CSV table of all heavy atoms in Angstrom, one decimal:
chain,number,residue,atom,x,y,z
A,143,PHE,N,-4.3,120.3,-110.6
A,143,PHE,CA,-5.6,120.0,-109.7
A,143,PHE,C,-6.7,120.2,-110.5
A,143,PHE,O,-7.0,121.3,-111.0
A,143,PHE,CB,-5.5,120.8,-108.4
A,143,PHE,CG,-6.4,120.5,-107.3
A,143,PHE,CD1,-6.0,120.0,-106.2
A,143,PHE,CD2,-7.8,120.7,-107.5
A,143,PHE,CE1,-6.8,119.7,-105.1
A,143,PHE,CE2,-8.7,120.3,-106.5
A,143,PHE,CZ,-8.2,119.8,-105.3
A,144,TRP,N,-7.5,119.2,-110.8
A,144,TRP,CA,-8.7,119.3,-111.6
A,144,TRP,C,-9.9,120.1,-110.8
A,144,TRP,O,-10.2,119.8,-109.7
A,144,TRP,CB,-9.4,118.0,-111.9
A,144,TRP,CG,-8.7,117.2,-113.0
A,144,TRP,CD1,-8.0,116.1,-112.9
A,144,TRP,CD2,-8.7,117.5,-114.5
A,144,TRP,NE1,-7.5,115.7,-114.1
A,144,TRP,CE2,-7.9,116.5,-115.0
A,144,TRP,CE3,-9.2,118.6,-115.2
A,144,TRP,CZ2,-7.7,116.5,-116.4
A,144,TRP,CZ3,-9.0,118.5,-116.6
A,144,TRP,CH2,-8.2,117.6,-117.2
A,145,PRO,N,-10.3,121.3,-111.3
A,145,PRO,CA,-11.3,122.0,-110.6
A,145,PRO,C,-12.7,121.3,-110.7
A,145,PRO,O,-13.0,120.8,-111.8
A,145,PRO,CB,-11.3,123.5,-111.3
A,145,PRO,CG,-10.0,123.5,-112.0
A,145,PRO,CD,-9.7,122.1,-112.4
A,146,PRO,N,-13.5,121.3,-109.6
A,146,PRO,CA,-14.7,120.5,-109.7
A,146,PRO,C,-15.8,121.2,-110.5
A,146,PRO,O,-16.8,120.6,-111.0
A,146,PRO,CB,-15.1,120.3,-108.2
A,146,PRO,CG,-14.5,121.5,-107.6
A,146,PRO,CD,-13.2,121.7,-108.3
A,147,VAL,N,-15.8,122.6,-110.5
A,147,VAL,CA,-16.8,123.5,-111.1
A,147,VAL,C,-18.1,123.3,-110.4
A,147,VAL,O,-18.6,124.2,-109.7
A,147,VAL,CB,-17.0,123.1,-112.6
A,147,VAL,CG1,-17.9,124.1,-113.2
A,147,VAL,CG2,-15.6,123.3,-113.3
A,148,ARG,N,-18.8,122.1,-110.5
A,148,ARG,CA,-20.1,122.0,-109.8
A,148,ARG,C,-20.4,120.5,-109.9
A,148,ARG,O,-20.0,119.7,-110.7
A,148,ARG,CB,-21.2,122.7,-110.4
A,148,ARG,CG,-21.5,122.4,-111.9
A,148,ARG,CD,-22.6,123.3,-112.4
A,148,ARG,NE,-22.9,122.9,-113.8
A,148,ARG,CZ,-22.2,123.5,-114.8
A,148,ARG,NH1,-21.3,124.4,-114.6
A,148,ARG,NH2,-22.5,123.1,-116.0
A,149,ILE,N,-21.3,120.0,-108.9
A,149,ILE,CA,-21.7,118.6,-108.9
A,149,ILE,C,-22.5,118.4,-110.3
A,149,ILE,O,-23.3,119.2,-110.7
A,149,ILE,CB,-22.7,118.3,-107.8
A,149,ILE,CG1,-21.8,118.4,-106.4
A,149,ILE,CG2,-23.2,116.9,-107.8
A,149,ILE,CD1,-22.7,118.2,-105.2
A,150,GLY,N,-22.2,117.3,-110.9
A,150,GLY,CA,-22.7,116.9,-112.1
A,150,GLY,C,-22.0,117.4,-113.4
A,150,GLY,O,-22.4,117.1,-114.5
A,151,TYR,N,-21.0,118.3,-113.1
A,151,TYR,CA,-20.3,118.8,-114.3
A,151,TYR,C,-19.4,117.7,-114.9
A,151,TYR,O,-18.8,116.9,-114.2
A,151,TYR,CB,-19.3,119.9,-113.8
A,151,TYR,CG,-18.5,120.5,-115.0
A,151,TYR,CD1,-19.2,121.5,-115.7
A,151,TYR,CD2,-17.3,120.3,-115.3
A,151,TYR,CE1,-18.6,122.2,-116.8
A,151,TYR,CE2,-16.7,120.9,-116.3
A,151,TYR,CZ,-17.2,121.9,-117.1
A,151,TYR,OH,-16.6,122.4,-118.2
A,152,VAL,N,-19.5,117.6,-116.2
A,152,VAL,CA,-18.8,116.5,-117.0
A,152,VAL,C,-17.8,117.2,-117.9
A,152,VAL,O,-18.3,118.0,-118.7
A,152,VAL,CB,-19.7,115.6,-117.6
A,152,VAL,CG1,-18.9,114.6,-118.5
A,152,VAL,CG2,-20.6,114.9,-116.7
A,153,ARG,N,-16.6,116.8,-117.9
A,153,ARG,CA,-15.6,117.3,-118.9
A,153,ARG,C,-14.9,116.1,-119.5
A,153,ARG,O,-14.6,115.1,-118.9
A,153,ARG,CB,-14.6,118.2,-118.3
A,153,ARG,CG,-13.5,117.6,-117.5
A,153,ARG,CD,-12.3,118.6,-117.1
A,153,ARG,NE,-12.7,119.4,-116.0
A,153,ARG,CZ,-12.8,120.8,-116.1
A,153,ARG,NH1,-12.6,121.4,-117.3
A,153,ARG,NH2,-13.1,121.5,-115.1
A,154,GLY,N,-14.6,116.2,-120.8
A,154,GLY,CA,-13.9,115.2,-121.5
A,154,GLY,C,-12.4,115.3,-121.2
A,154,GLY,O,-11.8,116.4,-121.1
A,155,LEU,N,-11.8,114.1,-121.1
A,155,LEU,CA,-10.3,114.1,-120.8
A,155,LEU,C,-9.7,114.2,-122.2
A,155,LEU,O,-9.9,113.3,-123.0
A,155,LEU,CB,-9.9,112.8,-120.1
A,155,LEU,CG,-8.4,112.7,-119.9
A,155,LEU,CD1,-7.9,113.7,-118.9
A,155,LEU,CD2,-8.1,111.3,-119.3
A,156,PRO,N,-9.0,115.3,-122.5
A,156,PRO,CA,-8.4,115.5,-123.8
A,156,PRO,C,-7.7,114.3,-124.4
A,156,PRO,O,-6.9,113.8,-123.7
A,156,PRO,CB,-7.5,116.7,-123.7
A,156,PRO,CG,-8.0,117.4,-122.4
A,156,PRO,CD,-8.6,116.4,-121.6
A,157,GLY,N,-8.0,114.0,-125.7
A,157,GLY,CA,-7.3,113.0,-126.3
A,157,GLY,C,-7.7,111.5,-126.0
A,157,GLY,O,-7.2,110.5,-126.3
A,158,THR,N,-8.8,111.5,-125.2
A,158,THR,CA,-9.3,110.1,-124.8
A,158,THR,C,-10.9,110.0,-124.8
A,158,THR,O,-11.5,111.1,-125.0
A,158,THR,CB,-8.9,109.8,-123.3
A,158,THR,OG1,-9.8,110.5,-122.4
A,158,THR,CG2,-7.5,110.2,-123.0
A,159,PRO,N,-11.4,108.8,-124.8
A,159,PRO,CA,-12.9,108.8,-124.7
A,159,PRO,C,-13.5,109.0,-123.3
A,159,PRO,O,-14.7,108.9,-123.2
A,159,PRO,CB,-13.2,107.3,-125.3
A,159,PRO,CG,-12.0,106.6,-124.7
A,159,PRO,CD,-10.7,107.6,-124.8
A,160,TYR,N,-12.7,109.2,-122.3
A,160,TYR,CA,-13.1,109.2,-120.9
A,160,TYR,C,-13.7,110.5,-120.5
A,160,TYR,O,-13.3,111.6,-120.9
A,160,TYR,CB,-12.0,108.9,-120.0
A,160,TYR,CG,-11.2,107.7,-120.2
A,160,TYR,CD1,-9.8,107.7,-120.5
A,160,TYR,CD2,-11.9,106.4,-120.4
A,160,TYR,CE1,-9.1,106.4,-120.8
A,160,TYR,CE2,-11.2,105.3,-120.8
A,160,TYR,CZ,-9.8,105.3,-121.0
A,160,TYR,OH,-9.2,104.2,-121.3
A,161,MET,N,-14.8,110.5,-119.7
A,161,MET,CA,-15.5,111.7,-119.2
A,161,MET,C,-15.3,111.7,-117.7
A,161,MET,O,-15.5,110.8,-117.0
A,161,MET,CB,-16.9,111.5,-119.6
A,161,MET,CG,-17.2,111.4,-121.1
A,161,MET,SD,-16.5,112.6,-122.1
A,161,MET,CE,-17.6,114.0,-121.7
A,162,ILE,N,-14.9,112.9,-117.2
A,162,ILE,CA,-14.6,113.1,-115.8
A,162,ILE,C,-15.9,113.8,-115.2
A,162,ILE,O,-16.2,115.0,-115.5
A,162,ILE,CB,-13.4,113.9,-115.6
A,162,ILE,CG1,-12.2,113.3,-116.4
A,162,ILE,CG2,-13.1,114.0,-114.1
A,162,ILE,CD1,-10.9,114.2,-116.3
A,163,GLU,N,-16.6,113.1,-114.4
A,163,GLU,CA,-17.8,113.7,-113.7
A,163,GLU,C,-17.6,114.1,-112.3
A,163,GLU,O,-17.0,113.3,-111.4
A,163,GLU,CB,-18.9,112.6,-113.8
A,163,GLU,CG,-20.2,113.0,-113.1
A,163,GLU,CD,-21.1,111.8,-112.8
A,163,GLU,OE1,-20.8,110.7,-113.2
A,163,GLU,OE2,-22.3,112.0,-112.4
A,164,THR,N,-18.0,115.3,-112.0
A,164,THR,CA,-17.9,115.8,-110.5
A,164,THR,C,-19.0,115.2,-109.8
A,164,THR,O,-20.2,115.5,-110.1
A,164,THR,CB,-17.9,117.3,-110.6
A,164,THR,OG1,-16.8,117.8,-111.3
A,164,THR,CG2,-17.8,117.7,-109.1
A,165,VAL,N,-18.7,114.4,-108.7
A,165,VAL,CA,-19.7,114.0,-107.8
A,165,VAL,C,-19.7,114.7,-106.5
A,165,VAL,O,-20.7,114.6,-105.7
A,165,VAL,CB,-19.6,112.5,-107.6
A,165,VAL,CG1,-19.8,111.7,-108.9
A,165,VAL,CG2,-18.2,112.1,-106.9
A,166,SER,N,-18.7,115.5,-106.2
A,166,SER,CA,-18.6,116.3,-105.0
A,166,SER,C,-17.7,117.5,-105.2
A,166,SER,O,-16.7,117.3,-105.8
A,166,SER,CB,-18.2,115.4,-103.8
A,166,SER,OG,-18.0,116.2,-102.6
A,167,VAL,N,-18.0,118.6,-104.6
A,167,VAL,CA,-17.2,119.8,-104.7
A,167,VAL,C,-16.3,119.8,-103.3
A,167,VAL,O,-15.2,120.4,-103.4
A,167,VAL,CB,-18.0,121.0,-104.9
A,167,VAL,CG1,-17.2,122.3,-104.7
A,167,VAL,CG2,-18.6,121.0,-106.2
A,168,GLN,N,-16.9,119.5,-102.3
A,168,GLN,CA,-16.3,119.6,-100.9
A,168,GLN,C,-16.5,118.4,-100.1
A,168,GLN,O,-17.5,118.3,-99.5
A,168,GLN,CB,-16.9,120.8,-100.2
A,168,GLN,CG,-16.0,121.5,-99.2
A,168,GLN,CD,-16.7,122.9,-98.8
A,168,GLN,OE1,-17.8,123.0,-98.9
A,168,GLN,NE2,-15.8,123.6,-98.2
A,169,PRO,N,-15.7,117.3,-100.2
A,169,PRO,CA,-14.4,117.2,-100.9
A,169,PRO,C,-14.5,117.1,-102.4
A,169,PRO,O,-15.5,117.0,-102.9
A,169,PRO,CB,-13.8,115.9,-100.4
A,169,PRO,CG,-15.0,115.0,-100.1
A,169,PRO,CD,-16.0,116.0,-99.6
A,170,VAL,N,-13.4,117.3,-103.1
A,170,VAL,CA,-13.3,117.3,-104.5
A,170,VAL,C,-13.2,115.8,-105.0
A,170,VAL,O,-12.2,115.1,-104.7
A,170,VAL,CB,-12.1,118.1,-105.1
A,170,VAL,CG1,-12.1,117.9,-106.6
A,170,VAL,CG2,-12.2,119.6,-104.6
A,171,VAL,N,-14.3,115.3,-105.5
A,171,VAL,CA,-14.3,113.9,-105.9
A,171,VAL,C,-15.0,113.8,-107.4
A,171,VAL,O,-15.9,114.5,-107.6
A,171,VAL,CB,-15.3,113.1,-105.0
A,171,VAL,CG1,-15.3,111.6,-105.4
A,171,VAL,CG2,-14.9,113.2,-103.5
A,172,PHE,N,-14.3,113.0,-108.1
A,172,PHE,CA,-14.7,112.7,-109.5
A,172,PHE,C,-15.0,111.3,-109.8
A,172,PHE,O,-14.5,110.4,-109.1
A,172,PHE,CB,-13.6,113.2,-110.6
A,172,PHE,CG,-13.3,114.7,-110.4
A,172,PHE,CD1,-12.1,115.0,-109.6
A,172,PHE,CD2,-14.0,115.6,-111.0
A,172,PHE,CE1,-11.8,116.3,-109.5
A,172,PHE,CE2,-13.7,116.9,-110.9
A,172,PHE,CZ,-12.6,117.3,-110.1
A,173,ARG,N,-15.8,110.9,-110.9
A,173,ARG,CA,-16.0,109.6,-111.3
A,173,ARG,C,-15.7,109.5,-112.7
A,173,ARG,O,-16.1,110.3,-113.5
A,173,ARG,CB,-17.5,109.2,-110.9
A,173,ARG,CG,-17.8,107.8,-111.5
A,173,ARG,CD,-19.1,107.2,-111.0
A,173,ARG,NE,-20.2,108.4,-111.1
A,173,ARG,CZ,-21.4,108.3,-110.3
A,173,ARG,NH1,-21.5,107.3,-109.4
A,173,ARG,NH2,-22.2,109.2,-110.4
A,174,VAL,N,-15.0,108.4,-113.2
A,174,VAL,CA,-14.8,108.1,-114.5
A,174,VAL,C,-15.2,106.7,-114.8
A,174,VAL,O,-14.6,105.8,-114.4
A,174,VAL,CB,-13.2,108.2,-115.0
A,174,VAL,CG1,-13.1,108.1,-116.4
A,174,VAL,CG2,-12.7,109.5,-114.4
A,175,ARG,N,-16.3,106.6,-115.5
A,175,ARG,CA,-16.9,105.3,-115.9
A,175,ARG,C,-16.1,104.7,-117.0
A,175,ARG,O,-15.8,105.4,-117.9
A,175,ARG,CB,-18.3,105.4,-116.2
A,175,ARG,CG,-19.2,105.6,-115.0
A,175,ARG,CD,-20.7,105.6,-115.3
A,175,ARG,NE,-21.6,105.4,-114.2
A,175,ARG,CZ,-22.2,106.5,-113.6
A,175,ARG,NH1,-22.2,107.7,-114.1
A,175,ARG,NH2,-23.0,106.3,-112.5
A,176,GLY,N,-16.0,103.3,-117.1
A,176,GLY,CA,-15.4,102.7,-118.1
A,176,GLY,C,-13.9,102.9,-118.3
A,176,GLY,O,-13.3,102.7,-119.3
Side-chain angles (χ1 to χ4, degrees):
F143 193 107
W144 285 110
V147 183
R148 62 181 177 273
I149 293 175
Y151 185 81
V152 177
R153 74 168 81 243
L155 181 64
T158 78
Y160 306 124
M161 306 302 291
I162 307 174
E163 175 194 3
T164 301
V165 297
S166 174
V167 170
Q168 205 174 19
V170 179
V171 183
F172 303 97
R173 173 168 50 200
V174 186
R175 289 188 164 100

